[in-house]
Amino acid sequence: MNDKKLTRSRTDKMIAGVCGGLSQYLGIDSTIVRLIFAVLLVFGGGGGILYLILWLVMPESTEF
């Protein structure tokens, strides 16, 4: 059973920890996730909307 949970990071964050949490969940570097959100924001604006939705939906991690 997979016990990984999608949560916002408390330690790897610049704004709300969404990208840090996604990177931990996916097992990739958080810089890559941040670049993907930046590209989505510049080309179409979907990155900003997606980030805000994830900020509201994802619970904050309880781990430090």
Side-chain angles (χ1 to χ4, degrees), residues 14 16 24 31 39-40 51-53 55 57 60-62:
M14 294 186 102
Q24 289 172 355
T31 304
V39 168
L40 288 174
Y51 191 92
L52 288 173
I53 291 170
W55 188 352
V57 173
E60 190 170 39
S61 174
T62 57

Side-chain angles (χ1 to χ4, degrees), residues 18-61:
V18 171
C19 293
L22 279 172
S23 69
Q24 289 172 355
Y25 183 77
L26 297 173
I28 59 176
D29 188 52
S30 60
T31 304
I32 295 170
V33 178
R34 288 184 180 104
L35 286 173
I36 291 169
F37 271 99
V39 168
L40 288 174
L41 182 63
V42 170
F43 296 106
I49 302 282
L50 181 61
Y51 191 92
L52 288 173
I53 291 170
L54 289 174
W55 188 352
L56 294 171
V57 173
M58 288 173 60
E60 190 170 39
S61 174

